[in-house]
Amino acid sequence: MTNVTTGAMSCYDSFTDAMAKATDGRITDAPNNSRAAVADPRLVAQLNSPAATDGNTRGVAGESTGTAALAPISIMYKDADYGGDSLIYQGDFDCSGPTDQPDYWVELIQPGWNDEIGSYRAYRNCWLSLFEHRGWTGGSIAYAGNRTDLGILDDKASSIRWS
């Protein structure tokens, strides 16, 4: 798990433990299999509900309009169709939606995940765009809420923006 606000990274023995930590203990019963989790409508609803994020959203100018609450903004998967290992990106506010102004960004994906992402699912009103090279350069994939296959950027993404 990586907190995009602080840059802190942590590893967990199970997906259930990672999800509990990513939500500050609000979700403790997530499936232990990350592929099953992305298909679990109950979990998806919890991750996208205001209760999962303490209702925290950002206003028009980007200022926070609620109490900060850590929760997943996306789950990245090493393989297509949400398969393989997973990486949870965690943020402390909801995204403002698909715009030209990113809410979060990672200039270079951490070791072990750089050029390894095969699919993703975003939460908390976030859409994300992947870029081929660090610093949001090279080829890119347009903002989307989820992708089961990254096409030409499969195993080639090095930086991310969430909006």
Side-chain angles (χ1 to χ4, degrees):
M1 179 177 64
T2 298
N3 181 311
V4 295
T5 304
T6 67
M9 292 182 272
S10 304
C11 293
Y12 296 90
D13 292 330
S14 73
F15 186 80
T16 304
D17 291 344
M19 187 58 65
K21 183 63 175 176
T23 61
D24 271 350
R26 289 183 301 277
I27 298 174
T28 59
D29 60 350
N32 200 32
N33 176 298
S34 60
R35 183 179 237 166
V38 77
D40 182 339
R42 182 191 54 80
L43 177 62
V44 171
Q46 285 178 301
L47 290 173
N48 284 317
S49 75
T53 63
D54 290 345
N56 188 29
T57 58
R58 287 173 57 117
V60 177
E63 73 278 1
S64 177
T65 60
T67 305
L70 290 173
I73 57 171
S74 68
I75 302 174
M76 316 308 277
Y77 297 85
K78 284 215 174 176
D79 299 331
D81 297 317
Y82 313 121
D85 292 340
S86 61
L87 170 65
I88 298 171
Y89 277 103
Q90 174 193 51
D92 58 1
F93 55 83
D94 293 347
C95 289
S96 59
T99 67
D100 293 335
Q101 296 180 332
D103 294 296
Y104 296 105
W105 50 88
V106 171
E107 183 177 5
L108 178 64
I109 298 169
Q110 60 266 32
W113 281 87
N114 187 41
D115 294 338
E116 294 292 330
I117 297 170
S119 57
Y120 68 83
R121 173 109 190 222
Y123 304 94
R124 299 182 72 181
N125 198 43
C126 292
W127 290 40
L128 63 96
S129 182
L130 298 171
F131 296 82
E132 182 179 13
H133 302 303
R134 73 177 299 158
W136 316 286
T137 61
S140 66
I141 295 178
Y143 282 102
N146 66 70
R147 290 194 185 268
T148 59
D149 186 316
L150 300 184
I152 63 168
L153 278 191
D154 183 42
D155 294 338
K156 293 182 180 176
S158 294
S159 55
I160 310 171
R161 285 185 176 156
W162 290 263
S163 184

